[in-house]
Amino acid sequence: MVTGLPPDKTMSAERDIAYVRLAVILFNVAVYWPLLRDQGIAWLAMTVSIVAVTYAFYVVLARPYLRYPILRAAMFTAVTDAVLITVWIFATGGYDSPFHLLWFLSLLAVSFRYEYRATMWATALYIGSYVALLAAMGHLIPNAGDILVRCVYIALAGALGVLMAQESTRAFASRDELAHVVEAERREQQAREVVRLRDLDRFKTEFLNAAAHELNTPLTPLQLQLHILQKADEAGNPEARKRALGIIHRNVERMALLVQDMLDVARLQSGRLAIQRQPADLATVVHDAVETYRPPADAKAIQLEIEGPESLVVAIDPKRASQIIYNLVSNAIKYTPREGRVTVRYGGNETEVHIEVQDNGLGFTPEQLERMFVPFGQAHINQVSAPGTGLGLFISRGIAERHGGRLEGKSPGPGQGALFNCVLSQTSTDGVSPELQARTT
């Protein structure tokens, strides 16, 4: 079957054409019998009328085109129409029959349902059938001029039908292509969503396991020191009591920090970590955050330096920016040996804020860098006396990305120091960086 319509439209088109065909046949019969019954061959016209009306009602009511695909074929349709129209014109007067206009209606139906090639050969078939009929009836030569004009009009109608068929084919092809693209994008989106949900489920499982382990770590010394504190009170030993309280205090602070970090991780994963942008002096934010770690730096004789303008007003969330600086400076001091150096640099322009923390400490390999930005991932867990929670860099990167920025780390190698570069956007309106969008969509 040669058709210009997609499969889902073919049946509805056949139904519509069946109704139109029935209306045209009933109209022709209604016109012929009251007005033109003395023209042509009455008995043949009556026979054709009965056959055509019966077939039209059969097609409308029984819809045989659903069971017999040949009834939807272009060749069958064109040949059937050519035979019926030729016989009808012959029965109603040949050249004098006004029903040669049926050729135009049939071409319109063909071009509506089939592709342009079917319309082209249907046009040739109809012109040939009409000319052959008139020649057989002896009407061709005496009326050659008028018949030529009629044939030209049929050819022009066929040409318009060809254009309409081509446009219909292109329109349906474009629609199908668009539908395929939309379906492919939908499936791709679903696949990405499935992967995202699986990753999120795996992350939650790993996070809960690691969190349980990290929370359990300070509980053991807490229980032990509570027992020692009880014994010290009973024995009246103030030194043991003081020492136990100090250990308890440190472990409670560690648990409080861990819980706060875990809450930030949960907010990041759920997209609920809000960025409250406001005008802030970056110099003040950096100096206040760095000065917080001046005592631990002095304790290790580490040179803690700051490089940047005396004042730089930017549009950021100062509280969250301070949190990034806290984590970066804390890590730098923690992983830098005695008498080392940690340098904090800051600057910016109208669109971005830059914060760098550089040290000459332990450094890391590319493989270790990958672990650093994973929750509870620590690259030097066996090389420092007081490792952190392993959540700082993950949270810091999340905050940077919520600012529409990024956080990157690099190192020449183990023992050669490290450099962490944080970029915060001042112009992002949605608070989401391209990197964050790529991981969450």
Side-chain angles (χ1 to χ4, degrees), residues 147-161:
I147 294 172
L148 177 62
V149 172
R150 293 179 182 180
C151 290
V152 170
Y153 277 123
I154 295 174
L156 291 175
L160 291 175

Side-chain angles (χ1 to χ4, degrees), residues 338-411:
R338 293 185 60 81
E339 300 182 354
R341 173 176 296 187
V342 174
T343 304
V344 181
R345 304 182 185 92
Y346 64 92
N349 51 42
E350 294 181 353
T351 60
E352 291 183 339
V353 173
H354 299 268
I355 302 172
E356 288 185 356
V357 177
Q358 185 174 13
D359 63 65
N360 61 349
L362 297 180
F364 48 79
T365 64
E367 293 76 15
Q368 289 175 317
L369 178 62
E370 292 181 4
R371 294 201 302 271
M372 288 181 183
F373 290 102
V374 176
F376 301 109
Q378 300 184 39
H380 306 292
I381 192 169
N382 295 321
Q383 296 176 264
V384 293
S385 58
T389 63
L391 297 173
L393 287 179
F394 178 81
I395 295 172
S396 297
R397 186 181 68 175
I399 294 173
E401 290 175 344
R402 296 303 298 179
H403 268 88
R406 61 189 182 276
L407 175 61
E408 301 170 335
K410 59 183 179 180
S411 171

Side-chain angles (χ1 to χ4, degrees), residues 50-128:
I50 294 173
V51 172
V53 170
T54 302
Y55 177 73
F57 272 110
Y58 168 70
V59 172
V60 168
L61 298 177
R63 294 188 292 179
Y65 49 81
L66 297 177
R67 298 185 299 275
Y68 307 110
I70 190 174
L71 299 182
R72 303 192 300 269
M75 181 177 295
F76 177 85
T77 300
V79 171
T80 302
D81 285 351
V83 171
L84 289 175
I85 294 173
T86 299
V87 175
W88 180 250
I89 292 176
F90 172 70
T92 55
Y95 169 76
D96 296 325
S97 173
F99 297 109
H100 63 272
L101 296 176
L102 293 174
W103 298 119
F104 299 101
L105 295 177
S106 181
L107 280 176
L108 180 63
V110 171
S111 61
F112 176 71
R113 286 185 290 172
Y114 306 109
E115 60 182 12
Y116 72 94
R117 285 186 292 267
T119 305
M120 291 174 63
W121 64 257
T123 302
L125 175 63
Y126 293 173
I127 292 175

